[in-house]
Amino acid sequence: MFEDMAKRPAIWLSGEDSTSQIVLSSRIRLARNISNCPFPSEADTDSREKVLSFIKSAIDKSPTLSQGRFVKCTQLDDLDRSFLLERHLISLEFRQCRDSSALFIGEGEQVSIMINEEDHLRIQSLQSGLNIRAAYQIAAKIDEELAKSLEFAFDSNFGYLTSCPTNVGTGMRASVLIHLPGLALTKEIENVISQISKLGLAVRGFYGEGSDVLGALFQVSNQTTLGRSEEDITESLERVTQQIIEYEENARNRLFKDAKDQIEDKIFRAYGILKFARTLTSEEVLNLLSAIRLGIGEGIVKMVTLSQINEILAFSQPSHLQKYFNKRMEPGERDRIRAKLIRSKLAEGK
Amino acid sequence: MLCQNCGKKEATVHLTQVVNDEKVELHLCRECAEKKRFHTPFEGVPFPLAEFLASMLDQSLIEKPSKVSDKKCSTCGMRFSDFSKIGRLGCGNCYVTFRSQLNDLLRKIHGSSQHRGGVPFTPGDVMKPLREERKLQEELKKAIQEENFEKAAQLRDQIKALSNKK
């Protein structure tokens, strides 16, 4: 499944405007539950199936969700799940989901809905670049359309009720995926992270909660969901993101002023390795791409474009690679095939 | 100062949280802070959420032991002690059953226990007054930002009238 999707990178990873060089994408996630039905972790199969069919029929009635594909968890093998995770369409938790869980993927992959994950519904909206508000508007519209046929668990004091009390209230998590090589190289990143966390925001790795930091890519999101309005949360994330961009730009300016030769060397070595290497692990690729993305942002790399970089970023992930060639591969074979694919992608640009 | 948890070692980790104008302080030794995982939420380790929540709960149980009784949710059968182990509630009614304990916990997690966000468009629209109140609250905030105090006063009265009707 999904071999067709694996032939192209997700739309949210295709931003080419100036903000997309530092902020790759913006995301909104809303957690919702159906009133009077136990949350998925406590529900028996009957109850989970009932919830699933309620939600399926609500999705069918939603005009915004008229195009897309609906897949049940039972149709997904391990490779499909890892692929969807790499594509940021599902969470780490959803990868473990059993029967009666399902996923809706909207047209263009800018919307996905996880059903019977930790909560009955997880509505997700993704946009490329720094576009938190646009992502929120789409998520809010879907929320409103679904609420016409579903009664959500809601309390006038606690707001939207969720399985985990860390999501209660708005049920909203707003996040940006941000590339901070300047702050990582100048070692200022820890300082920035500790400042961000004081502002009620959390910093995580590339694949979200519980994942590692790879290729200087960080996910910044709101930590609290109760006591603030949705507008407050999105505005403050946007403000803080603008501030982080400024810090990153300052760090880059200092780097190029104080250590121009070393940085340029690092960037062009990265390009050389990607262009000629015979085996490459996905982690190595993420780190090399980070250097080249920095070079493109600073205008010193001209032989490769941001969209080529994003394409390589997408396809070099382990499950993408296997879906792209429609073949299961062991890690060693993957590293060879990955290097070959990247060589051909970089040759295309010439 | 000695650690509030073990009472043996010197407290070197100090946490202060201001919750609804009420200051909550926690003084722990390095070992107890590590056990409670308070010191490093950003070291790249998967965040042990259930443990983190439980550690917050332990504190509230220590602070108000007399008020704690192990209630059971009539809808899903979850007990509060189950929740403190797994960190997840069983159903929407758990929030009603454990309201007072959750009030404390939510204030610690979010710094608030009162929702100020959107209100669902439920069939039959029983949520209309709540939604109206929220819209007025947003307008009030804007009026104050714009220093339009005359309008702000009007809005405040409207909000008051609405909440009296409830």
Side-chain angles (χ1 to χ4, degrees), chain A residues 122-133:
Chain A
R122 289 281 174 104
I123 304 164
Q124 180 184 260
S125 156
L126 275 162
Q127 291 280 313
S128 69
L130 180 54
N131 271 313
I132 306 165
R133 272 176 232 204

Side-chain angles (χ1 to χ4, degrees), chain A residues 240-251:
Chain A
V240 173
T241 307
Q242 299 278 14
Q243 187 70 52
I244 301 172
I245 293 173
E246 211 179 302
Y247 288 149
E248 170 64 19
E249 283 170 347
N250 290 341

Side-chain angles (χ1 to χ4, degrees), chain A residues 302-318:
Chain A
K302 301 229 162 58
M303 54 283 187
V304 44
T305 62
L306 204 57
S307 70
Q308 272 177 296
I309 291 299
N310 286 336
E311 216 184 337
I312 295 172
L313 176 70
F315 294 141
S316 60
Q317 300 175 97

Side-chain angles (χ1 to χ4, degrees), chain A residues 43 67 75 82 104 146 162 172 185 205 214 230 268 272 285-286 309-310 339:
Chain A
Q67 303 287 319
Q75 296 169 266
S82 307
F104 176 85
L146 294 178
T162 53
M172 183 170 94
L185 284 166
L214 294 167
E230 289 83 354
F268 283 97
V285 171
L286 271 175
I309 291 299
N310 286 336

Side-chain angles (χ1 to χ4, degrees), chain A residues 36-39 41-42 93 118 144 147-170 193 197 201-204 209-212 223-232, chain B residues 41-42 44-47 49 52-53 75-76 78 83 86-96 98-100 102-103 105-107 109-123 127 130 134 138 141 166:
Chain A
N36 296 319
C37 297
F39 299 147
S41 60
E42 288 298 308
E93 168 136 359
E118 184 181 306
E144 200 185 310
K148 285 185 182 145
S149 25
L150 298 169
E151 194 184 330
F152 291 140
F154 183 88
D155 178 280
S156 57
N157 290 119
F158 295 150
Y160 289 96
L161 304 177
T162 53
S163 165
C164 183
T166 52
N167 295 317
V168 79
T170 55
I193 289 177
S197 59
L201 297 167
V203 183
R204 301 191 168 100
E209 202 165 331
S211 68
D212 292 333
Q223 194 142 36
T224 61
T225 53
L226 182 64
R228 302 159 71 197
S229 71
E230 289 83 354
E231 291 79 8
D232 251 13
Chain B
F42 297 112
V45 285
F47 198 38
L49 189 61
F52 179 68
L53 285 178
T75 307
C76 69
M78 181 168 280
F83 164 68
I86 57 176
R88 285 183 184 180
L89 291 154
C91 68
N93 189 48
C94 287
Y95 280 93
V96 180
F98 310 130
R99 190 175 288 275
S100 66
L102 286 173
N103 255 321
L105 177 69
L106 292 174
R107 269 199 292 271
I109 300 173
H110 299 280
S112 167
S113 59
Q114 178 57 55
H115 177 57
R116 294 188 207 286
V119 176
F121 291 76
T122 34
M127 296 291 180
L130 262 179
R134 187 193 170 230
E138 286 289 320
K141 212 172 92 188
K166 265 195 277 183

Side-chain angles (χ1 to χ4, degrees), chain A residues 154-286:
Chain A
F154 183 88
D155 178 280
S156 57
N157 290 119
F158 295 150
Y160 289 96
L161 304 177
T162 53
S163 165
C164 183
T166 52
N167 295 317
V168 79
T170 55
M172 183 170 94
R173 197 74 63 197
S175 66
V176 289
L177 183 61
I178 188 164
H179 182 229
L180 305 173
L183 291 169
L185 284 166
T186 56
K187 310 245 187 290
E188 289 163 66
I189 191 71
E190 285 184 19
N191 192 8
V192 171
I193 289 177
S194 85
Q195 284 185 44
I196 293 170
S197 59
K198 279 183 201 141
L199 297 169
L201 297 167
V203 183
R204 301 191 168 100
F206 185 39
Y207 295 113
E209 202 165 331
S211 68
D212 292 333
V213 172
L214 294 167
L217 290 167
F218 297 85
Q219 230 180 64
V220 181
S221 62
N222 61 302
Q223 194 142 36
T224 61
T225 53
L226 182 64
R228 302 159 71 197
S229 71
E230 289 83 354
E231 291 79 8
D232 251 13
I233 295 171
T234 49
E235 274 167 32
S236 84
L237 179 64
E238 195 171 304
R239 255 197 330 271
V240 173
T241 307
Q242 299 278 14
Q243 187 70 52
I244 301 172
I245 293 173
E246 211 179 302
Y247 288 149
E248 170 64 19
E249 283 170 347
N250 290 341
R252 290 182 185 191
N253 289 341
R254 269 196 316 271
L255 273 175
F256 279 93
K257 200 165 137 251
D258 301 339
K260 186 164 186 284
D261 292 344
Q262 289 100 305
I263 298 299
E264 284 194 1
D265 185 59
K266 193 178 160 65
I267 292 167
F268 283 97
R269 271 171 191 271
Y271 181 68
I273 294 172
L274 277 183
K275 201 167 162 74
F276 295 107
R278 261 41 191 175
T279 74
L280 286 166
T281 65
S282 54
E283 279 182 26
E284 189 180 4
V285 171
L286 271 175

